[in-house]
Amino acid sequence: MPKTRSKPHPNISQVMIMDGQNNFPISWLNKQGYCEYSIYLENVKGIQLQPTLDMVIGTKEHARLETDFKKDAEPATFEEMLEASKTAEILSRELPVTSVHFGIRGYIDEIWMTPDEFIIIDDKPGSRAFVSSIHQVQGYCLAFKDTIRSFQDMIGGERRITAALRERGTNNIFWSSYFDNKAEEDIINLINRVQNLITGREDFIPTQNPRKCRSCRFKRKCDKKALPGSI
Ligand code: SF4
């Protein structure tokens, strides 16, 4: 497989240029659903803030789950996992996925590989299936689907992909859905919108919802904050 040529975007943080294509973190699909303008403030304008308490707790919880997982896990390559999952159920955490074609990359919190399907799980702090959270996990599904395209011989027959959201630190899967053609088409359209934001073909639109602004970590620095009573 040819090596991907990769370099940071000169003006937008967290964006890489891979083989000439802008590539952004899949977590941006979640931020985009909350407020596109927060991506602009953080990554284009370069406003740096301390992480919120929720972010710190989330990072610690991620690390704890990863450490617990590694206690009993056997290291294996991606190819070995795919091969073994033809006849057994395999679980992996923090699986890196990159789609140069769609220009997205990230880490899948947890993936179950079974002989019939791949279940892609994103852990969330609560148990509400926000549209933005669904978009994020669908982004992982798309990147994973693109990743396994070149391993089709190893996978054997068609295996469906399921997207799932789980309450962090529990076994509570509170939302799941097949990653079908409609979901794939919708998430590709959304990714194209984010790509257009990066290239400047479209504008970052601030939310009109003051409740979101009240909880936003950029509220003190934001010049587009929605005022109470505006919706
Ligand atoms: S304060 Fe409101 S408009 Fe500004 S970035 Fe945050 S959510 Fe968006």
Side-chain angles (χ1 to χ4, degrees), residues 34-35 37-38 41 206-207 209 212-213 216-219 222 224-226:
Y34 191 84
C35 175
Y37 200 66
S38 69
L41 291 178
T207 183
N209 184 344
K212 286 186 176 181
C213 294
C216 174
R217 67 195 184 105
F218 291 100
K219 64 186 171 201
C222 180
K224 304 276 186 190
K225 199 165 38 198

Short mmCIF file of all heavy atoms in Angstrom, two decimals, residues 34-35 37-38 41 206-207 209 212-213 216-219 222 224-226, ligand 1:
data_model
loop_
_atom_site.label_atom_id
_atom_site.label_comp_id
_atom_site.label_asym_id
_atom_site.label_seq_id
_atom_site.Cartn_x
_atom_site.Cartn_y
_atom_site.Cartn_z
N TYR A 34 -23.22 20.90 17.50
CA TYR A 34 -23.46 21.80 18.64
C TYR A 34 -23.42 23.24 18.16
O TYR A 34 -24.36 24.01 18.35
CB TYR A 34 -22.41 21.55 19.72
CG TYR A 34 -22.72 22.23 21.03
CD1 TYR A 34 -23.57 21.63 21.95
CD2 TYR A 34 -22.18 23.48 21.33
CE1 TYR A 34 -23.88 22.26 23.14
CE2 TYR A 34 -22.48 24.11 22.53
CZ TYR A 34 -23.32 23.50 23.43
OH TYR A 34 -23.62 24.13 24.62
N CYS A 35 -22.31 23.59 17.52
CA CYS A 35 -22.17 24.95 16.98
C CYS A 35 -20.91 25.00 16.11
O CYS A 35 -19.80 24.88 16.63
CB CYS A 35 -22.07 25.97 18.10
SG CYS A 35 -21.76 27.64 17.48
N TYR A 37 -19.57 27.45 14.83
CA TYR A 37 -18.73 28.61 15.11
C TYR A 37 -17.67 28.31 16.17
O TYR A 37 -16.60 28.93 16.19
CB TYR A 37 -19.60 29.80 15.53
CG TYR A 37 -18.92 31.13 15.37
CD1 TYR A 37 -18.59 31.61 14.10
CD2 TYR A 37 -18.60 31.90 16.48
CE1 TYR A 37 -17.94 32.84 13.96
CE2 TYR A 37 -17.96 33.13 16.33
CZ TYR A 37 -17.63 33.59 15.07
OH TYR A 37 -17.00 34.80 14.93
N SER A 38 -17.95 27.32 17.05
CA SER A 38 -16.94 26.96 18.06
C SER A 38 -15.72 26.34 17.38
O SER A 38 -14.59 26.51 17.85
CB SER A 38 -17.53 26.00 19.10
OG SER A 38 -17.79 24.74 18.54
N LEU A 41 -13.77 29.37 16.15
CA LEU A 41 -13.05 30.09 17.22
C LEU A 41 -11.81 29.31 17.66
O LEU A 41 -10.74 29.89 17.84
CB LEU A 41 -13.99 30.32 18.41
CG LEU A 41 -15.14 31.30 18.18
CD1 LEU A 41 -16.01 31.39 19.43
CD2 LEU A 41 -14.63 32.69 17.80
N PRO A 206 -22.99 30.24 13.51
CA PRO A 206 -23.16 30.12 14.96
C PRO A 206 -24.56 29.61 15.30
O PRO A 206 -25.51 29.88 14.56
CB PRO A 206 -22.97 31.55 15.47
CG PRO A 206 -23.21 32.43 14.28
CD PRO A 206 -22.98 31.62 13.04
N THR A 207 -24.68 28.91 16.42
CA THR A 207 -26.01 28.46 16.85
C THR A 207 -26.87 29.67 17.19
O THR A 207 -26.37 30.74 17.57
CB THR A 207 -25.91 27.54 18.09
OG1 THR A 207 -27.21 27.09 18.42
CG2 THR A 207 -25.33 28.26 19.28
N ASN A 209 -29.22 29.15 19.44
CA ASN A 209 -29.82 28.66 20.67
C ASN A 209 -29.04 29.18 21.89
O ASN A 209 -27.93 28.72 22.17
CB ASN A 209 -29.80 27.12 20.64
CG ASN A 209 -30.48 26.51 21.85
OD1 ASN A 209 -30.72 27.18 22.84
ND2 ASN A 209 -30.80 25.23 21.74
N LYS A 212 -27.40 26.70 24.34
CA LYS A 212 -26.10 26.14 23.96
C LYS A 212 -24.99 27.13 24.33
O LYS A 212 -23.94 26.75 24.83
CB LYS A 212 -26.06 25.83 22.47
CG LYS A 212 -26.86 24.61 22.06
CD LYS A 212 -26.63 24.31 20.59
CE LYS A 212 -27.35 23.03 20.18
NZ LYS A 212 -27.12 22.72 18.75
N CYS A 213 -25.22 28.40 24.04
CA CYS A 213 -24.19 29.41 24.33
C CYS A 213 -23.90 29.48 25.82
O CYS A 213 -22.75 29.66 26.22
CB CYS A 213 -24.63 30.77 23.81
SG CYS A 213 -24.74 30.83 22.01
N CYS A 216 -21.46 26.92 26.64
CA CYS A 216 -20.31 26.83 25.74
C CYS A 216 -19.05 27.38 26.41
O CYS A 216 -19.07 28.44 27.03
CB CYS A 216 -20.60 27.63 24.46
SG CYS A 216 -19.20 27.73 23.36
N ARG A 217 -17.95 26.67 26.25
CA ARG A 217 -16.71 27.14 26.90
C ARG A 217 -16.13 28.38 26.22
O ARG A 217 -15.24 29.02 26.75
CB ARG A 217 -15.69 26.01 27.01
CG ARG A 217 -15.13 25.51 25.73
CD ARG A 217 -14.44 24.18 25.94
NE ARG A 217 -13.81 23.73 24.70
CZ ARG A 217 -12.51 23.76 24.47
NH1 ARG A 217 -11.68 24.20 25.40
NH2 ARG A 217 -12.02 23.35 23.34
N PHE A 218 -16.65 28.72 25.03
CA PHE A 218 -16.14 29.91 24.32
C PHE A 218 -16.98 31.15 24.59
O PHE A 218 -16.74 32.20 24.00
CB PHE A 218 -16.10 29.65 22.81
CG PHE A 218 -15.06 28.64 22.42
CD1 PHE A 218 -15.41 27.33 22.16
CD2 PHE A 218 -13.72 28.99 22.35
CE1 PHE A 218 -14.45 26.39 21.82
CE2 PHE A 218 -12.75 28.06 22.02
CZ PHE A 218 -13.11 26.75 21.76
N LYS A 219 -18.00 31.03 25.46
CA LYS A 219 -18.98 32.12 25.57
C LYS A 219 -18.35 33.47 25.90
O LYS A 219 -18.84 34.49 25.45
CB LYS A 219 -20.09 31.76 26.56
CG LYS A 219 -19.63 31.57 27.97
CD LYS A 219 -20.79 31.07 28.82
CE LYS A 219 -20.25 30.68 30.18
NZ LYS A 219 -21.12 29.78 30.88
N CYS A 222 -16.71 34.78 22.52
CA CYS A 222 -17.46 34.66 21.26
C CYS A 222 -18.18 35.97 20.90
O CYS A 222 -18.88 36.55 21.73
CB CYS A 222 -18.49 33.54 21.40
SG CYS A 222 -19.46 33.31 19.90
N LYS A 224 -20.42 36.08 18.50
CA LYS A 224 -21.69 35.71 17.83
C LYS A 224 -22.67 35.04 18.79
O LYS A 224 -23.61 34.38 18.36
CB LYS A 224 -21.40 34.71 16.69
CG LYS A 224 -20.40 35.18 15.67
CD LYS A 224 -21.05 36.04 14.62
CE LYS A 224 -20.03 36.36 13.55
NZ LYS A 224 -20.49 37.37 12.62
N LYS A 225 -22.43 35.21 20.07
CA LYS A 225 -23.23 34.53 21.08
C LYS A 225 -24.72 34.84 20.92
O LYS A 225 -25.08 36.00 20.74
CB LYS A 225 -22.74 35.01 22.46
CG LYS A 225 -23.10 34.16 23.60
CD LYS A 225 -22.28 34.51 24.83
CE LYS A 225 -22.04 35.99 24.99
NZ LYS A 225 -20.97 36.35 25.88
N ALA A 226 -25.56 33.81 20.99
CA ALA A 226 -27.00 34.03 20.91
C ALA A 226 -27.50 34.61 22.22
O ALA A 226 -27.13 34.15 23.29
CB ALA A 226 -27.70 32.71 20.61
S1 SF4 B 1 -20.98 31.07 22.48
FE1 SF4 B 1 -22.66 30.24 21.24
S2 SF4 B 1 -22.32 31.00 19.16
FE2 SF4 B 1 -20.41 31.26 20.29
S3 SF4 B 1 -19.24 29.43 19.85
FE3 SF4 B 1 -20.33 29.05 21.74
S4 SF4 B 1 -22.25 28.06 21.14
FE4 SF4 B 1 -21.34 28.99 19.32
#
